[in-house]
């Protein structure tokens, strides 16, 4: 939503924008409140009860001021022999009441800590569960750093609001209600003065809050961009240094960092003046009530001096909540924007699985019929793809960058769904097969490997969690990874950190291939799986992979054409079209694109 500029004229459209923003803000706060209540209803009820008791005990001490002056101090000053027994008894009773208030205050603060931390626990769990259910397309469209910012900055801003601001709002509301009732009973004229000043304070708080909300949203978005940029620079540090882009990276960071500083400055500049402005307005109201009250007490006799003193204290209790709420405006506005980003991720459409069939004994027979596909409706990337395979065949895809090789692989396991045509697995349309069943029947080795913070053995076992240690070692031996693993400090128990940063790219790739091998699926997908391995290592891995591919339907995206000479079917792609297909010998005999690529000994990719 585009927010109106606060520096320019405020026409009807600007006002409508404010009203819409305010409506959205209330909806987000209400949704967050319902979420908290749904999980901590009884804790919140206890908190409200404790806050009410605390407010009553505070009010009792305030009202005692009038009793102290009118019923004790004034009479005692007029006695020749003052008797203090009744005064001490009343003070002890007041002390007991205040002690109850202290206990209740301690209790509700402890409860709110439990509520806030428990809510954060549940929110992080809910966000993570939703993230795991999102389609690959979501992560293609959102920077990883921005998603990480939801877990850290946005959820933490909610913690601050729940632990402090919600209890403060409850406390303020109850205090205002109890105090206002007492003020009316004491003096209607003085109450009117307090109401006028309270209205002024609320108008100031509301208007400044509206002005700062937009800047708080910009601040959170800028913070997410900073996190995303840092995450990119950390993962791409070698590339930055290889191309000597350190200064360009610094300059770009300074630019987005300055955007964060500017948005944070604008947000807090407005929000931080609310409390001092309201504080001064409260002091002004205090003076006005003192003047009006003193006048009524001295000249009119309508109220006593004790009533004036007690009312001044009540007025502080009446206006203080507004000041306290204004102190929390930064937290509330920041949390509102944070909640908006959290719920935006939670509300993101999950990956749809409309399949109902389970693959009980998959053979790995995959066929494409007249398949069209585009990542967006405006741009089609695959056209009339027809591929007929038999179980156990090795199918290789070759072509230049952007030809559609990886896209076809993404369609086989339903990372994306096609717009036209049909893909069959063992004669069943893959849209009819449950995605988890479909994907369990395949192992994929990507060009970009990812290793988890765990032991080498556990990283291999990730391909099949039920695999034994012996299964994992056998898989490593099959792909030629056993030798280098045993040379590591702790062999298979070596802990990998930072995505396997202590291994070479080739060693990381070997572990990824071993992970695929231990899964023992009927379909194997190799997306340029040996592109990061040197020629000598590739020969070793190729022997293991040849064994691994026996009896399995294998789809290979080839980086080196020499590795696919023995493929049963080679498919040549160009700009989303299949232009040639056949065996190695058949394609060479055609003297076409494949012949051109092969005689050049490398792909133009």
């Amino acid at each position: 939503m585009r927010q109106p500029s606060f520096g320019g004229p405020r026409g009807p459209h600007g006002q409508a924008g404010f009203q819409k923003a305010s409506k959205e803000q209330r909806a987000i706060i209400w949704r967050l409140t319902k979420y908290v209540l749904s999980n901590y209803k009884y804790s919140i009820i206890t908190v409200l009860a404790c806050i009410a008791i605390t407010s009553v005990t505070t009010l009792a001490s305030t009202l005692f001021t009038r009793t102290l002056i009118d019923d004790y101090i004034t009479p005692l000053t007029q006695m020749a022999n003052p008797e203090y027994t009744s005064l001490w008894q009343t003070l002890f009773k007041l002390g007991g009441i205040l002690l109850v208030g202290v206990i209740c205050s301690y209790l509700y603060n402890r409860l709110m800590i439990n509520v806030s931390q428990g809510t954060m626990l549940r929110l992080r769990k809910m966000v993570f569960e939703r993230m795991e259910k999102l389609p690959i397309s979501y992560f293609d469209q959102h920077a990883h750093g921005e998603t990480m910012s939801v877990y850290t900055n946005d959820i933490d801003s909610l913690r601050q609001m729940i632990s402090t601001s919600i209890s403060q709002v409850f406390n303020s509301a109850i205090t205002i209600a109890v105090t206002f009732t007492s003020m009316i009973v004491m003096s209607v004229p003085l109450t009117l003065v307090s109401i006028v000043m309270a209205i002024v304070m609320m108008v100031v708080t509301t208007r400044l809050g509206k002005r700062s909300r937009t800047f708080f949203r910009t601040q959170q978005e800028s913070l997410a961009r900073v996190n995303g940029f840092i995450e990119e620079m950390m993962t791409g540090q070698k590339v930055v240094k290889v191309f000597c882009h350190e200064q360009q990276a610094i300059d770009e960071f300074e630019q987005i960092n300055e955007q964060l500083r500017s948005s944070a400055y604008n947000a807090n500049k407005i929000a931080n003046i609310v409390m001092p402005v309201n504080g001064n307005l409260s002091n002004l109201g205090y003076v006005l009530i003192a003047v009006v009250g003193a006048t009524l007490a001295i000249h009119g006799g309508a109220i006593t001096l004790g009533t004036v003193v007690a009312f001044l204290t009540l007025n502080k209790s009446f206006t203080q909540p507004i000041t306290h709420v204004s102190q929390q405006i930064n937290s509330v506005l920041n949390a509102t924007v944070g909640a908006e980003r959290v719920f935006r991720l939670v509300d993101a459409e999950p990956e749809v699985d409309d399949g109902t069939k389970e693959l009980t004994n998959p053979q790995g027979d995959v066929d494409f019929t007249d398949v069209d596909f585009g990542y967006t409706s405006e741009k089609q990337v695959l056209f009339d793809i027809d591929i007929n395979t038999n179980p156990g065949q090795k199918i290789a895809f070759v072509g230049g960058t952007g030809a559609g090789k990886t896209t076809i692989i993404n369609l086989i396991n339903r990372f994306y769904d096609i717009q036209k045509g049909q893909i069959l697995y063992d004669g069943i349309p893959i849209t009819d097969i449950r995605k988890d069943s479909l994907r369990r029947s395949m192992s994929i080795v990507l060009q970009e490997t990812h290793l988890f913070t765990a032991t080498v053995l556990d990283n291999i076992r990730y391909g099949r969690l039920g695999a034994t240690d012996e299964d994992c070692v056998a898989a490593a031996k099959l792909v030629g990874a056993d030798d280098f693993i045993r040379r590591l400090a702790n062999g298979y128990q070596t802990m990998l950190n930072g995505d396997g940063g202590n291994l070479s790219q080739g060693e990381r790739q070997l572990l990824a291939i071993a992970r695929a091998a231990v899964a023992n699926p009927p379909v194997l997908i190799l997306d340029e799986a040996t592109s990061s391995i040197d020629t000598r290592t590739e020969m070793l891995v190729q022997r293991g992979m040849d064994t691994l591919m026996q009896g399995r339907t294998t789809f290979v995206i080839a980086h080196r054409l020499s590795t696919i000479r023995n493929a049963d079917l080679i498919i040549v792609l160009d700009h989303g079209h299949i232009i040639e297909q056949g065996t190695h010998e058949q394609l060479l005999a055609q003297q076409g694109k494949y012949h051109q690529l092969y005689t050049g000994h490398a792909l133009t990719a």
Side-chain angles (χ1 to χ4, degrees):
M1 179 181 64
R2 185 180 183 273
Q3 296 294 327
S5 171
F6 297 112
R10 298 267 309 277
H13 295 290
Q15 187 64 32
F18 276 138
Q19 291 172 353
K20 185 177 181 182
S22 179
K23 184 178 180 181
E24 290 178 352
Q25 185 177 12
R26 288 195 300 270
I28 291 170
I29 293 176
W30 175 236
R31 181 176 179 181
L32 180 62
T33 302
K34 287 197 298 182
Y35 181 79
V36 174
L37 288 174
S38 66
N39 295 296
Y40 296 97
K41 179 173 62 176
Y42 296 110
S43 293
I44 295 299
I45 291 173
T46 304
V47 166
L48 289 174
C50 289
I51 289 175
I53 294 172
T54 303
S55 298
V56 170
T57 57
T58 303
L59 178 63
S61 64
T62 301
L63 295 177
F64 179 73
T65 306
R66 181 177 66 173
T67 304
L68 183 66
I69 294 174
D70 294 343
D71 297 346
Y72 291 96
I73 294 179
T74 301
L76 287 173
T77 58
Q78 298 171 357
M79 293 181 182
N81 297 306
E83 174 58 48
Y84 296 101
T85 303
S86 60
L87 174 61
W88 285 114
Q89 291 175 346
T90 305
L91 288 174
F92 277 120
K93 291 178 182 178
L94 178 64
I97 293 173
L98 292 177
L99 179 61
V100 172
V102 170
I103 294 173
C104 288
S105 178
Y106 172 79
L107 179 60
Y108 85 68
N109 278 289
R110 284 294 300 269
L111 283 173
M112 286 309 298
I113 292 174
N114 180 61
V115 169
S116 63
Q117 292 299 330
T119 301
M120 297 307 99
L121 174 71
R122 293 171 182 271
L123 275 177
R124 285 191 294 267
K125 180 175 181 290
M126 181 173 64
V127 170
F128 189 82
E129 287 178 349
R130 175 47 59 99
M131 184 185 74
E132 290 299 295
K133 295 177 181 178
L134 293 176
I136 291 295
S137 58
Y138 179 90
F139 301 99
D140 289 342
Q141 298 166 9
H142 295 80
H144 295 174
E146 291 188 14
T147 304
M148 280 298 303
S149 186
V150 173
Y151 286 95
T152 53
N153 304 311
D154 296 326
I155 289 183
D156 188 63
S157 68
L158 296 183
R159 176 193 61 78
Q160 296 177 30
M161 186 188 79
I162 294 172
S163 62
T164 305
S165 303
I166 289 182
S167 59
Q168 187 67 65
V169 170
F170 287 160
N171 197 353
S172 298
I174 294 173
T175 299
I176 288 174
V178 173
T179 303
F180 183 69
T181 303
S182 301
M183 290 168 64
I184 292 178
V185 173
M186 278 191 172
S187 173
V188 173
L190 295 182
T191 301
L192 292 176
V193 177
S194 295
I195 291 174
V196 170
M197 295 308 301
I199 291 174
V200 173
M201 293 171 67
M202 285 189 290
V203 169
V204 170
T205 301
T206 301
R207 292 198 172 184
L208 290 177
K210 286 180 178 179
R211 291 173 65 88
S212 59
R213 182 177 184 272
T214 300
F215 294 118
F216 272 106
R217 176 186 284 117
T218 306
Q219 173 188 327
Q220 290 295 93
E221 292 172 350
S222 298
L223 184 58
R225 282 196 294 271
V226 167
N227 288 338
F229 183 81
I230 293 173
E231 191 263 346
E232 284 185 351
M233 291 301 105
M234 290 178 64
T235 55
Q237 195 59 219
K238 289 182 181 178
V239 177
V240 172
K241 292 188 179 300
V242 164
F243 292 99
C244 302
H245 274 244
E246 291 92 342
Q247 190 57 49
Q248 288 90 332
I250 291 172
D251 293 341
E252 189 173 351
F253 178 78
E254 286 182 354
Q255 181 180 355
I256 62 175
N257 197 32
E258 171 58 26
Q259 291 173 355
L260 173 59
R261 184 209 65 81
S262 176
S263 59
Y265 171 78
N266 287 328
N268 290 281
K269 174 182 68 175
I270 297 175
N272 285 346
I273 67 173
V274 175
M275 195 270 289
V277 167
N278 278 338
N280 285 308
L281 289 174
S282 177
N283 292 333
L284 177 60
Y286 189 89
V287 172
L288 289 175
I289 290 172
V291 171
V292 174
T295 302
L296 292 175
I298 295 172
H299 298 290
I303 57 176
T304 64
L305 183 60
T307 300
V308 175
V309 174
F311 198 96
L312 286 171
T313 306
L314 284 176
N315 178 68
K316 278 292 184 182
S317 299
F318 185 65
T319 57
Q320 236 178 13
I322 301 175
T323 304
H324 287 163
V325 171
S326 68
Q327 285 178 302
Q328 300 298 325
I329 192 168
N330 287 25
S331 175
V332 172
L333 292 173
N334 206 21
T336 302
V337 176
E340 183 180 352
R341 287 166 52 82
V342 169
F343 290 136
R344 189 186 306 156
L345 192 153
V346 170
D347 293 338
E349 287 295 325
E351 185 174 16
V352 177
D353 186 2
D354 47 9
T356 57
K357 297 182 179 180
E358 290 280 348
L359 293 172
T360 55
N361 185 27
Q363 301 300 308
D365 184 3
V366 180
D367 295 313
F368 285 66
T369 305
D370 299 327
V371 170
D372 287 350
F373 173 76
Y375 289 101
T376 64
S377 57
E378 294 80 15
K379 186 177 181 181
Q380 187 173 339
V381 295
L382 291 179
F383 305 84
D384 298 321
I385 301 299
D386 284 290
I387 304 173
N388 295 310
T389 69
N390 294 313
Q393 282 190 326
K394 179 180 178 181
I395 299 93
F397 298 99
V398 300
T401 299
K405 305 184 296 295
T406 300
T407 300
I408 290 178
I409 298 301
N410 287 336
L411 298 181
I412 295 175
N413 49 45
R414 288 195 69 190
F415 282 164
Y416 295 90
D417 284 329
I418 60 178
Q419 282 81 43
K420 179 190 172 186
Q422 196 174 51
I423 303 176
L424 302 177
Y425 188 107
D426 290 353
I428 306 170
I430 61 172
T431 52
D432 294 342
I433 304 172
R434 289 177 55 87
K435 285 186 177 180
D436 55 353
S437 178
L438 177 69
R439 291 169 183 172
R440 275 197 300 267
S441 71
M442 304 177 185
S443 275
I444 304 176
V445 181
L446 301 174
Q447 183 179 9
E448 296 179 1
T449 62
H450 180 80
L451 300 177
F452 298 92
T453 300
T455 65
V456 170
L457 198 66
D458 288 337
N459 268 280
I460 296 175
R461 186 180 284 115
Y462 202 85
R464 179 164 57 92
L465 296 180
T468 64
D469 291 356
E470 291 74 18
D471 293 335
C472 296
V473 173
K477 289 180 178 179
L478 179 66
V479 301
D482 181 69
D483 288 342
F484 93 82
I485 293 175
R486 295 190 182 278
R487 289 195 298 269
L488 297 175
N490 297 307
Y492 282 88
Q493 297 302 322
T494 301
M495 181 64 68
L496 301 180
N497 295 296
D499 199 14
N502 51 334
L503 302 178
S504 71
Q505 182 64 30
E507 290 169 339
R508 295 171 70 244
Q509 196 76 39
L510 284 170
L511 290 184
I513 296 171
R515 178 190 294 165
V518 80
N520 195 27
V523 175
L524 185 65
I525 298 174
L526 306 174
D527 187 353
E528 302 192 18
T530 60
S531 62
S532 301
I533 300 176
D534 60 82
T535 305
R536 179 180 175 279
T537 305
E538 183 183 1
M539 293 174 61
L540 179 65
V541 174
Q542 195 63 49
R543 287 198 296 267
M545 289 179 59
D546 287 341
T547 303
L548 176 63
M549 288 186 287
Q550 287 180 5
R552 292 182 173 87
T553 304
T554 306
F555 295 92
V556 182
I557 295 179
H559 181 72
R560 300 184 182 99
L561 294 184
S562 59
T563 64
I564 60 168
R565 292 180 58 181
N566 62 343
D568 298 296
L569 179 64
I570 299 174
I571 297 173
V572 184
L573 293 162
D574 184 47
H575 294 93
H577 296 270
I578 295 178
I579 57 175
E580 297 174 8
Q581 59 179 312
T583 63
H584 172 71
E585 291 76 14
Q586 290 171 342
L587 292 178
L588 285 181
Q590 291 179 18
Q591 298 286 308
K593 182 69 172 180
Y594 182 81
H595 181 273
Q596 176 187 345
L597 294 173
Y598 187 77
T599 54
H601 302 294
L603 284 171
T604 57

